[in-house]
Structure formats: structure tokens, C-alpha cells
Amino acid sequence: MKSNTIVKDAAEYVFNLFKDKLPGDYVYHNYNHTAETAKACKKLSKSYNLTSRDYEVLMLAAIFHDTGYITTYENHEEESVKFMKEYLTGNYSDEDISEIESLILSTKYRTVPDGSLQEILHDADYINLGNKSFDHRADLLRIEWERILQKTYTEEEWAQIQLQFLLDTQFKTEEAVLNYNEQKEMNILKQRAKIDKFTKESDKDKSKAKPVKDGRGIETLYRSVYDYHISLTSIADNKANMMISINTIIISIVITLFGTGFTFSSQSEFASVRFVFPMAFLLLTSLLAVVFAILSARPNVTTKEKYELSKKDSSILFFGNFAQLQLREFVDKIKELKQQKDELYESMSIDIYYLGSVLIRKYNFLSWSYNIFMFGMVICAVGFVIIMLFSY
């Protein structure tokens, strides 16, 4: 290559091109890879009786085949052709430029080489598959993909990709098969060993986690949560019943007093109605407290239509969802749950979620009921005190 002026000048041109315009994130597809490809072309071509013209065309194609990475990552081969033509047009024959273009385009992944020159360039481009430095070069490619394409992989995923790449890519020339296939097979075995190691570690982790998943711990968890929710529901209902009882008694007394035309004094007309305002306020707040207590205790049953329209968000275990189902339909769905433990746990989780939602609703209404009752009692008591003070 050094003795050929055209090839030497082209190599220097591409070196400067990469140095000035190729981003530093290209740690694999850089001039180092280009030089290795050209060097491999020179070595592989020795077993062929190439003419000086064929050799020159091959070397120029190897030098320019990755220059397109300067402008684009995907379909860079077409851009490489543009760089090649820009450099050679006017100084090289059109026929030879066309041949170099065909060689560059043949380096596209999964393109089947046509002819000896394309086969040599193909094997030279993938010469790392048969080298001991395969893992090192693969790591550089992985970094390049992460930096430029934002593609990230786990160690196992990357080993799978590299194994598949080794299996899919075959050397085409006899020289490459004889000199590099043995190391390529060793690289295949190394990748396979990595995958087996990751698989064993994964199975080991699963076996450790299995007793927790299939043991009684998870069933105890669900049982405890159900008991806890039921206890809270019972407490909320008892509190609501208490508020309903107290406030209905107060409402009955106040209405009775108003109905009998009560009076606490015979001195004037104002004296007989001076307690109307605090009593009326107590009546109103007691009524509101009862309403919120009733809303808290009132059942909220979902319908069959909701269950059918949104199965992933409803649980067949909740009576509001299966109440309108036919008996056989309900039994069949329970059978399905018993056969699929994950779905059974998921259904129980959904049921617990909606129990929690009902509890939140109950306690929100209860909170309003108690606050209103307390506010009404305080205002009524203060009103009575003020009236009594001004009366004397």
C-alpha cells in the first residue's frame, strides 16, 4: 500500500478526514478500523493473482468504505461512495470509480458478496471475528452504540447479540477460512460460555426467590390485609351509625321544640324567639352531619357492565362484580383463577385496592360529618352563652 502513490495519498486523505470531522464517540468505526481492513485486504489478496488495477481498486474501496460515518450512521455506505467520488473524480477513470462504488456498497450488512474482490473486502471488514481481540473490539462497538444510537444492553443481551453475529457472519475466502475460522469458533464458544453463566446465575436467583413466591408468606400477607381492611370498614360503619343516631335525636328534639312554640321567657316577644337562631343552626349542622354519615355508610356496588368492560381493573372476587353473572359463568371464572396463580393474586390485589378506595371514601365522609357536628355544637353553645349573658 505504501508503494502505491494513489493508495498512499488516499489513505492520508481519509486519515485527515477522520481526524478533522469524525466525532470522538466513534470508538469502533474510525481510522483504526479502516487501516485494519486495508491491511487485511492486502494479506488476503496475496493468495489471489490480482492485477495491479484490481488490487488498487480493492485497496481504495477498503480505505473509503467507512468514511460515510462522518455524516450518518444508518446507510453510511452511500455517503462513503460520495466521499470516494469527490476525491477520485477527475483523477481516476469512471469505470474504476464504478467498480469501487460496487465494492463499498457490498459492505452493507447481510449483502452477499459477488466476485473475488467483494469477498476479500467482506472478510477483511469482519476480520475481527477471527481474532483474539474480538471481545475488545466488541466492547468498543457497544460503547459506540450507547453514545451515538442510545442503545443499551445488559451483559447477557450483549453476549446474545455477539453470538448471533458470529453465527450469522461467514468468511467467504479460502484464506480467511483457513487462517481465522479456528479463532472464530473459539470466540463463539466464549460467547456461549458467557450466556450459560448468566443463565445459571438467573436460575439460581429464581430458585432463591421461589420459596418466597410460592410459600405461605404471600398468602399470610393477603389474609392480613383483608382482615385489616374489614376491621377498618367495621370501625367506619360503627362511627357512621353513632353519628346518625346522635344527630337524628338532636334533629327530632329541635323539630319538636319548634313545633310546640317553645318559650323560655314571658317578658317580651323577642324573648320567646331569642334561642331560635342557635337552635336553627344546630338543626342545620346536625342535618348535614347525618347526610355525610349516611353517605359514608351507604354501600357502593359496581355493576356487571363495569366488570365486563374493564376486566383488568376489576376483580371477580368482589360481590358487586359477580352479583349479576350467571352461576356457571361465575364458577368458570373462579376455575380459571385457581389454575392461574398469578392472575389469582392479581385479582386479590385489585380487590384490596378497591376495598382501600371504599375506605378512603368512608373516612372522608366521616371526617366531614364529625367536623360539621363539632362546628355546629360549638357555635350553638357559644350562641346560647352570648344570649344568656345579654339577657341578664
Side-chain angles (χ1 to χ4, degrees):
M1 183 168 63
K2 292 181 180 179
S3 62
N4 188 305
T5 305
I6 297 175
V7 174
K8 180 181 178 182
D9 292 344
E12 185 176 352
Y13 169 77
V14 171
F15 172 78
N16 290 322
L17 195 65
F18 279 151
K19 182 182 69 174
D20 296 335
K21 296 185 178 181
L22 190 69
D25 291 334
Y26 286 81
V27 293
Y28 181 89
H29 292 102
N30 48 30
Y31 186 76
N32 186 44
H33 170 68
T34 296
E36 287 181 352
T37 303
K39 183 179 179 180
C41 282
K42 182 178 180 180
K43 184 175 181 179
L44 294 175
S45 64
K46 288 181 179 179
S47 60
Y48 292 83
N49 293 321
L50 299 181
T51 64
S52 58
R53 178 264 181 191
D54 287 343
Y55 176 77
E56 187 174 277
V57 165
L58 174 65
M59 297 304 295
L60 289 172
I63 290 169
F64 280 97
H65 83 286
D66 274 349
T67 51
Y69 279 108
I70 291 173
T71 56
T72 182
Y73 207 94
E74 302 294 335
N75 300 318
H76 67 277
E77 292 83 4
E78 286 80 0
E79 294 298 315
S80 298
V81 170
K82 292 180 182 179
F83 279 107
M84 179 272 296
K85 287 184 176 180
E86 181 181 346
Y87 179 77
L88 293 178
T89 300
N91 300 317
Y92 219 62
S93 68
D94 293 341
E95 182 181 353
D96 291 342
I97 290 176
S98 179
E99 178 69 17
I100 296 171
E101 178 180 358
S102 298
L103 285 168
I104 292 175
L105 295 178
S106 73
T107 61
K108 280 188 175 183
Y109 186 55
R110 295 189 184 281
T111 299
V112 179
D114 182 17
S116 299
L117 294 182
Q118 290 189 10
E119 289 178 351
I120 294 172
L121 183 57
H122 171 276
D123 290 353
D125 198 19
Y126 295 113
I127 204 69
N128 286 318
L129 275 63
N131 285 332
K132 293 181 180 180
S133 61
F134 172 77
D135 285 338
H136 171 72
R137 299 295 296 170
D139 287 341
L140 291 177
L141 181 62
R142 182 180 179 182
I143 294 171
E144 184 174 292
W145 283 7
E146 289 175 354
R147 302 283 294 182
I148 298 173
L149 302 180
Q150 284 74 52
K151 292 183 177 181
T152 56
Y153 303 93
T154 64
E155 294 294 334
E156 184 176 2
E157 290 172 342
W158 186 249
Q160 290 280 8
I161 291 173
Q162 294 309 301
L163 176 60
Q164 193 61 49
F165 182 60
L166 285 163
L167 294 174
D168 290 345
T169 307
Q170 303 295 326
F171 289 127
K172 305 298 181 180
T173 63
E174 183 180 359
E175 186 74 13
V177 171
L178 293 175
N179 290 284
Y180 299 100
N181 229 38
E182 183 177 353
Q183 182 60 46
K184 179 190 169 187
E185 291 171 355
M186 292 180 65
N187 291 333
I188 290 174
L189 294 175
K190 286 176 65 177
Q191 296 303 313
R192 183 61 188 175
K194 287 183 181 180
I195 295 170
D196 290 340
K197 179 182 177 182
F198 292 130
T199 303
K200 289 179 181 178
E201 291 177 353
S202 178
D203 292 341
K204 187 176 180 181
D205 293 339
K206 288 179 181 178
S207 64
K208 288 182 179 179
K210 189 174 181 180
V212 177
K213 181 179 179 181
D214 296 335
R216 291 190 176 183
I218 192 167
E219 295 175 4
T220 303
L221 169 65
Y222 278 106
R223 189 183 301 112
S224 300
V225 174
Y226 270 116
D227 291 342
Y228 179 65
H229 279 68
I230 292 171
S231 298
L232 289 177
T233 301
S234 178
I235 293 171
D237 289 339
N238 289 335
K239 289 180 179 291
N241 290 332
M242 184 172 64
M243 289 300 297
I244 292 171
S245 300
I246 294 173
N247 284 282
T248 50
I249 292 173
I250 293 174
I251 292 171
S252 299
I253 293 173
V254 173
I255 291 176
T256 301
L257 290 174
F258 281 162
T260 57
F262 73 93
T263 179
F264 290 100
S265 175
S266 59
Q267 295 179 1
S268 65
E269 183 180 352
F270 172 74
S272 63
V273 296
R274 57 185 172 176
F275 295 104
V276 168
F277 296 106
M279 295 294 285
F281 188 79
L282 178 61
L283 176 65
L284 178 61
T285 54
S286 295
L287 180 61
L288 284 174
V290 167
V291 169
F292 279 102
I294 292 173
L295 288 174
S296 172
R298 186 180 65 176
N300 182 25
V301 181
T302 55
T303 63
K304 175 186 176 184
E305 288 75 19
K306 179 181 178 182
Y307 172 70
E308 290 178 341
L309 290 174
S310 184
K311 292 184 179 180
K312 291 296 183 182
D313 296 332
S314 299
S315 170
I316 188 64
L317 302 177
F318 181 55
F319 77 94
N321 291 331
F322 68 72
Q324 299 183 40
L325 295 176
Q326 297 296 325
L327 175 61
R328 293 311 312 170
E329 188 178 2
F330 171 72
V331 172
D332 290 340
K333 291 185 179 298
I334 293 297
K335 284 182 179 179
E336 292 178 6
L337 281 179
K338 289 192 295 184
Q339 294 173 357
Q340 299 175 352
K341 181 171 282 189
D342 289 340
E343 290 191 11
L344 174 60
Y345 288 149
E346 182 179 352
S347 185
M348 293 171 67
S349 299
I350 293 171
D351 195 24
I352 290 173
Y353 173 82
Y354 282 115
L355 283 174
S357 299
V358 171
L359 276 176
I360 291 173
R361 172 182 166 276
K362 281 179 176 291
Y363 278 95
N364 282 337
F365 283 136
L366 269 179
S367 179
W368 276 101
S369 178
Y370 273 85
N371 289 336
I372 292 171
F373 176 70
M374 178 180 64
F375 179 72
M377 292 294 291
V378 170
I379 296 299
C380 181
V382 170
F384 269 101
V385 171
I386 292 174
I387 291 173
M388 294 300 292
L389 289 175
F390 277 98
S391 296
Y392 295 101

